[in-house]
Amino acid sequence: MVTEVDTVTEVQARRLGRLRTVGGRGGALLRQLTRDKVGAVGFTIVLLMGAAAALAPVIAPYDPTAMSNQRLATPGGTFLLGADEAGRDLLSRALYGARTSLAVGLVVVGCAAVVGVLLGLLAGFYRGVLDAIITPVTDVMFAFPTLLLALAVVAARGPGTENLIFALVLVFIPSFARVVRGTAMSVRREPFVESGQAAGLSNARLIFKYVLPNSIAPIAVQFTTSIAYAILIEASLGYLGLGVQPPAPSWGSMLANGKAFMELSIWPSVVPGVCIMITVLGFNLLGDTLRDVLDPRLRGRANR
C-alpha cells in the first residue's frame, strides 16, 4: 500500500537526484571550465605544474642534490636556468620542489577536508551540544592568523615534513568545518530531508547520501583555494627553515638560500619565486572559476 509519506518521499527523492547530479557532471563542469578564459588558464597552469611534479624524475636533467663547481652559474650552457650557490641545477631543484609543494598541499588539504567536512556536517545537522562545542573551537582558531598559528605549531613540535603537515592540517580544518556547517544547516531544512526523516531514514544516511552531495560545490571551491594557500604557507615556513629539511629541495628553502647571494646572482631566488607565483595563481584562478560555475547566482558571469 502506497502512503502519502511514500509519495512525498519519492517526489523529493527525484528532486534530490537532480540536485545530486551537480556533483557528478564532471564532463560538463570541465567543458564550462575550459570555455571560460580565466578558468582555462588556471586549469592549464595546474595541469602543467602537476605533470611537471609527477614527471620530475624523468624530465629533470640532473640530480637535484648533486653539486658542481659552477656555482651561481647564469642561465644557459650547462644549466638551463642556472645554478645555485652550491652548483646545483636550479631547473632540477625547481621540478623536485614542485613535487614537495604539491604533495604537501594535497595531503594537507585532503586530510583537513576529511576532518573539517565531518565536523561541519555534525555541527550543522545535529546542532545542539555538538554545534556548541565545534563552532566555538573553530572560531577560536580563526582568531589567530593562519601563518602565525602554523608557525607556532611547527615551532613547538620542531621542524620537519611530518610536523609541517600536522600543523597545516590543524590550520585548515576550521575553514572546511565552517563552510560545510553553513551548507548543512541550509540543506537540513529542505523538504526532501524532512521527508526522509518522516520515512524513517537514519541520520547517517541523511547526512552522507543527502546533505553531503549538496555540499560538494562549496567544498570543491574551498579545496582548490586552500591548496594555493597551503603552498604559500609551506614556502613561508621553508623560508624560515621550519619546513622540509635539506637536502630535499623546497621552493621556500631555495628562496632562503638564494637571498644571501642576490648581489651576485638573482636566479637562485627568481626561479623558485616565479614557480610559487605561477602555481598559486593557477589554483586561485581555478578556484574563482569553480565558484562562478558551481554557484547558480554567478553562473551567467562564468558563461560569458
Side-chain angles (χ1 to χ4, degrees):
M1 178 177 180
V2 180
T3 64
E4 182 179 356
V5 172
D6 294 333
T7 304
V8 173
T9 304
E10 182 181 353
V11 172
Q12 299 301 341
R14 288 198 295 269
R15 293 181 183 176
L16 176 63
R18 289 196 295 271
L19 288 171
R20 290 180 64 186
T21 55
V22 172
R25 294 173 180 168
L29 177 60
L30 182 61
R31 286 193 296 272
Q32 287 180 295
L33 284 175
T34 54
R35 190 180 302 124
D36 183 272
K37 294 181 180 179
V38 174
V41 171
F43 181 76
T44 302
I45 292 174
V46 170
L47 188 63
L48 290 177
M49 283 295 179
L55 298 175
V58 177
I59 62 179
Y62 300 98
D63 183 339
T65 61
M67 296 182 287
S68 70
N69 58 1
Q70 300 188 47
R71 296 177 177 84
L72 301 177
T74 56
T78 305
F79 303 115
L80 184 61
L81 296 181
D84 64 6
E85 72 284 353
R88 295 172 295 194
D89 180 43
L90 288 175
L91 175 59
S92 300
R93 291 184 63 78
L95 290 172
Y96 277 87
R99 288 171 66 89
T100 300
S101 294
L102 291 179
V104 169
L106 289 173
V107 170
V108 164
V109 177
C111 294
V114 171
V115 179
V117 167
L118 180 60
L119 292 177
L121 288 173
L122 294 176
F125 187 85
Y126 287 102
R127 303 298 304 276
V129 177
L130 282 175
D131 192 24
I133 295 174
I134 295 172
T135 301
V137 172
T138 57
D139 289 342
V140 169
M141 295 180 69
F142 267 118
F144 295 92
T146 304
L147 179 58
L148 180 61
L149 182 58
L151 180 61
V153 174
V154 174
R157 294 177 58 90
T161 306
E162 295 80 6
N163 292 337
L164 171 67
I165 292 175
F166 174 81
L168 293 183
V169 169
L170 193 64
V171 164
F172 282 100
I173 285 175
S175 58
F176 283 97
R178 173 174 286 189
V179 167
V180 176
R181 173 183 176 270
T183 306
M185 290 174 59
S186 176
V187 175
R188 188 180 187 276
R189 295 191 292 265
E190 293 292 334
F192 59 82
V193 175
E194 297 177 354
S195 300
Q197 290 175 324
L201 297 180
S202 65
N203 288 334
R205 185 178 179 85
L206 289 172
I207 290 174
F208 291 105
K209 299 200 71 173
Y210 293 174
V211 180
L212 180 59
N214 288 283
S215 305
I216 292 298
I219 292 174
V221 176
Q222 185 66 35
F223 189 91
T224 308
T225 54
S226 293
I227 291 179
Y229 202 13
I231 291 174
L232 275 178
I233 297 179
E234 185 272 332
S236 300
L237 294 177
Y239 183 85
L240 297 174
L242 297 175
V244 178
Q245 297 300 296
S250 165
W251 288 340
S253 61
M254 290 173 66
L255 277 172
N257 295 334
K259 71 174 181 178
F261 303 93
M262 287 289 290
E263 295 183 357
L264 300 175
S265 176
I266 63 172
W267 301 108
S269 295
V270 168
V271 171
V274 170
C275 290
I276 295 171
M277 180 192 70
I278 293 176
T279 305
V280 171
L281 175 65
F283 277 105
N284 281 333
L285 293 178
L286 182 60
D288 288 343
T289 306
L290 274 176
R291 181 199 61 200
D292 296 345
V293 170
L294 296 175
D295 190 336
R297 295 169 297 180
L298 303 173
R299 197 166 295 162
R301 171 183 152 190
N303 290 333
R304 287 203 297 267

